[in-house]
């Protein structure tokens, strides 16, 4: 694994011995800007001097009007960068259309959790993509799968703040000044979510920082997988030397020493296992497919000891007087019974429930509203044999 | 795009289940969108089984209406299993389009079917270049992000040469669609796979960096009501107006669809909508459940007025509730049979919503159950008979003014 890291406003460059690239976030182009455009030439010169690549990040979305302005400005700034990192698909398209030789890092970090989609991004932008910046929701095993299929560099966050919300609306104050706040809710177990607003919108980070550097340090050889470190707002001068030591030794003790100095709680997110997958399967609606043999309809009125009303879909099995039936209650209880006193809503006696959207029959104890009704069997009328 | 200027936009209504689909269509939706049992974003909605999708297609196509199936979850590799089979089924059922957000899903749709593809708002497409990108990927319509104005949306349609659909009514996500992981990282519920826990609706205490403290619902968006933006449609046409709310009631679906249907028909048969007419339609919208409302970004950028910031969050409310739905009418017995959804009393004034035209107020007299017993008060989840109101038809909604208001 190779490392890339954000530059903070103290302009402290991480050691080039193990951080190959630095990311700059400029006002008007970033959710968390720390520099002005005028700073870029100096930063670029310093990065070059240190043998590090300088990347300019634009992690914002734009409407059509803003897009053209952003694209023009980025193209001007581009000469002072080694690569642009772009979130907005339209902006990415416009930039690579304008400079055919441009290579960008495409931020596909919101969603995009399958290899088919990642291959799609790769094919759509072709050689204009240098790297795909992946979602913080992917797990180690997902990443393993992706890198086998995707012939590009990929990047994941390995240490630092985890942005979990991006809104166009200015939620903290009417003005366009930068505002920061901490938010807590009694309805959430987590307290003090960092919020920050600038004129481009409102953003929220998780209460804990992601810390999976120790998980990946030995995992990915070569230059395909990049890990991103974000120490903005953290004491970088203290932390970088400790990280460098850890990177060299790759020892648990050095990681522990680093963690002790880290000012915020770290967590693993979904990297070890994407637990929301199992919950997703549970959440998926598994309501019974009402199409298998014998489904008649659903009880919509249960008047104790008197009658029940059945709503019967067109594909429902028809019932006749005296048919054997079974109800499946919403709690999963099965109740057997027979059809008695079959009639229409207006009281007309029915021989058969065919053609009826609704019909009424004698109540069966416990067959409450929302119970599903199934046909069990029909007893044929006894055949009267003719005398020989 | 010139012809679009004269063309009424499609009214696209939510269909949470087969009953709501029929309600939407009968109340004037040109098209409906629904979710199958997998691959959509409303895990908790009832959703449609395959046989229900077939029924939906039959009902809609018989009436010349369209059905779009939502496949807008961001899927993981393992969730893709079975998608090919589902797509083959959808194609055979002749669904009019699928709504997709994930490029991987989109590619599967193209690989396994020829079903037209609409790009979901979850993809947060906000500019014409992005629209052109998605057009190259094979989409024929884009559901634009709710952050755009009507004017911007119309310009994207013209510049990208694509159909565009915008949200005109309903609840709004506070984030850019697809750009909120709060549920996933706090509760393990992936909002991009249908598990959103609505964390933005919580009350939060806020401590600003200057030490100022406040308490409120600053992440909770008011609902979008686009009635006021409709007059601009003649100048800034779009192809489809979407009503949010697959989880909402039949009253909401029917009432809101009817109001927009009538407003659009009036707008395109007259020079414009008058203020009085807009107020009338807004009063109708007010009778379906909603939060406080705003025009979102349709006219101007949504500011703090579009967000709850009060200690009191009114939540979803309405002065009206659905009393029931007409199941059948019997000319023979001169009765209409109602499935009661909310209680009402003998003598109470009810309002029947015909599929078109003025609503009909009537008194709940002679309430009978199905063995002819007179009732003083109805109970939810029961079927009752009322004297037939002239013009009543199956699937008509009956609403009642709630007492607390
Ligand atoms: S929590 Fe709110 S903002 Fe986030 S996805 Fe859910 S509805 Fe949207």
């Amino acid at each position: 694994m190779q490392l890339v890291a954000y530059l903070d406003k103290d302009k402290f460059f991480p050691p080039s011995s193990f951080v190959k690239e630095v990311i700059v976030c400029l006002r008007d182009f970033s959710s968390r800007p720390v520099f002005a455009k005028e700073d870029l030439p100096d930063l670029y010169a310093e990065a070059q001097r240190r043998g590090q690549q300088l990347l300019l990040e634009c992690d914002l979305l734009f409407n059509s009007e803003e897009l053209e302005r952003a694209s023009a400005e980025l193209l001007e700034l581009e000469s002072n960068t080694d690569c642009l990192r772009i979130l907005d698909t339209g902006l990415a398209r416009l930039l690579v259309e304008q400079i055919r030789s441009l290579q960008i890092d495409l931020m596909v970090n919101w969603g995009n959790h399958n290899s088919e989609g990642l291959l799609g991004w790769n094919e759509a932008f072709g050689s204009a993509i240098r790297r795909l910046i992946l979602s913080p929701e992917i797990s180690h095993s997902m990443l393993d799968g992706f890198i086998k299929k995707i012939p590009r560099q990929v990047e994941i966050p390995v240490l630092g703040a985890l942005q979990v919300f991006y809104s166009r609306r200015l939620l903290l104050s009417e003005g366009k000044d930068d505002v920061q706040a901490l938010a807590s809710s009694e309805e959430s177990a987590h307290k003090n979510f960092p919020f920050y607003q600038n004129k481009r919108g409102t953003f929220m980070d998780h209460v804990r920082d992601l810390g999976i550097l120790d998980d990946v340090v030995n995992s990915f050889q070569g230059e395909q997988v990049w890990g991103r470190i974000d120490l903005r707002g953290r004491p970088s001068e203290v932390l970088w030397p400790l990280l460098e030591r850890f990177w060299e030794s790759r020892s648990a003790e050095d990681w522990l020493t680093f963690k002790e100095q880290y000012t915020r709680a770290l967590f693993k997110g979904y990297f070890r296992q994407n637990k929301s997958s199992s919950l997703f399967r549970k959440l998926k609606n598994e309501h019974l497919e009402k199409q298998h043999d014998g489904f008649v309809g659903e009880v919509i009125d249960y008047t104790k000891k008197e009658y029940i009303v059945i709503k019967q879909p067109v594909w429902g099995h028809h019932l006749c007087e005296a048919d054997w039936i079974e109800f499946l209650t919403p709690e999963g209880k099965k109740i057997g019974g027979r059809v008695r006193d079959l009639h229409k809503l207006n009281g007309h006696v029915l021989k058969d429930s065919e053609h009826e959207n609704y019909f009424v029959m004698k109540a069966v104890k416990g067959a409450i509203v929302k119970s599903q009704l199934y046909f069990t069997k029909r007893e044929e009328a006894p055949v009267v044999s003719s005398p020989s | 795009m010139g012809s679009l200027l004269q063309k009424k936009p499609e009214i696209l209504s939510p269909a949470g289940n087969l009953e709501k689909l029929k309600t939407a269509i009968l109340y004037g939706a040109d098209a409906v969108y629904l979710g199958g049992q997998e691959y959509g974003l409303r895990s908790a909605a009832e959703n449609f089984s395959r046989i229900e999708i077939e029924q939906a297609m039959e009902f809609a196509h018989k009436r010349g209406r369209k059905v779009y199936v939502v496949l807008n979850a961001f899927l993981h590799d393992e969730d893709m299993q079975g998608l090919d089979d589902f797509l083959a089924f959808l194609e055979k059922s002749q669904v009019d389009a699928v709504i997709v957000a994930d490029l991987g899903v989109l590619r599967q749709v193209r690989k396994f079917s020829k079903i037209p593809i609409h790009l979901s708002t979850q993809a947060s497409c906000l500019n014409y270049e992005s629209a052109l990108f998605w057009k190259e990927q094979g989409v024929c319509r884009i559901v634009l992000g709710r952050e755009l104005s009507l004017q911007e949306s119309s310009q994207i349609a013209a510049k990208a040469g694509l159909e565009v659909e915008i949200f005109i009514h309903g609840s709004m996500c506070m984030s850019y669609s697809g750009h909120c992981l709060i549920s996933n990282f706090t509760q393990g519920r992936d909002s991009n796979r249908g598990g959103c826990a609505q964390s933005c609706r919580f009350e939060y205490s806020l401590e600003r960096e200057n030490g100022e403290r406040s308490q409120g619902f600053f992440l909770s968006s008011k609902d979008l009501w686009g009635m006021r933006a409709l007059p601009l449609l003649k100048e800034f046409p779009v192809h489809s107006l979407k009503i949010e709310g697959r989880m909402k009631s039949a009253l909401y679906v029917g009432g809101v669809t009817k109001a927009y249907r009538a407003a659009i028909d009036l707008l395109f048969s007259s020079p414009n909508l008058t203020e009085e007419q807009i107020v009338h339609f807004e009063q109708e919208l007010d009778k379906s459940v909603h939060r406080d409302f705003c025009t979102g970004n349709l006219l101007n950028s949504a500011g703090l007025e579009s967000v709850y910031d009060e200690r009191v969050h009114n939540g979803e409310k309405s002065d009206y509730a659905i009393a029931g739905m007409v199941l059948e009418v019997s000319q023979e017995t001169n009765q209409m049979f109602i499935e009661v959804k909310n209680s009402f009393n003998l003598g109470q004034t009810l309002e029947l919503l015909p599929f078109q035209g003025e609503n009909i107020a009537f008194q709940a007299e002679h309430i009978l159950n199905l063995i002819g017993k007179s009732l003083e008060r109805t109970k939810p989840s029961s079927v009752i008979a009322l004297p037939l109101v002239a013009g009543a038809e199956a699937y008509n909604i009956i609403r009642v003014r709630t007492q607390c208001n």
Side-chain angles (χ1 to χ4, degrees), chain A residues 3 17-18 213-214 216-218 240-259:
Chain A
L3 295 178
S17 56
F18 77 113
L213 192 58
D214 56 329
V216 294
V217 67
N218 292 313
W240 278 118
L242 294 174
L243 270 184
E244 189 176 22
R245 201 163 83 201
F246 163 68
W247 193 254
E248 274 162 17
S249 72
R250 307 192 173 206
S251 74
E253 298 78 56
D254 285 338
W255 179 246
L256 208 63
T257 313
F258 167 78
K259 269 178 44 173

Side-chain angles (χ1 to χ4, degrees), chain B residues 168-181:
Chain B
I168 197 73
H169 190 94
S171 302
M172 289 194 280
C173 209
M174 183 55 93
S175 70
Y176 278 111
S177 283
H179 292 69
C180 175
L181 312 178

Side-chain angles (χ1 to χ4, degrees), chain A residues 223-250:
Chain A
E223 304 227 332
Q224 192 186 5
V225 181
W226 286 71
R228 184 174 67 251
I229 296 176
D230 183 1
L231 296 184
R232 283 175 293 175
R234 320 284 181 254
S236 45
E237 276 182 69
V238 179
L239 294 172
W240 278 118
L242 294 174
L243 270 184
E244 189 176 22
R245 201 163 83 201
F246 163 68
W247 193 254
E248 274 162 17
S249 72
R250 307 192 173 206

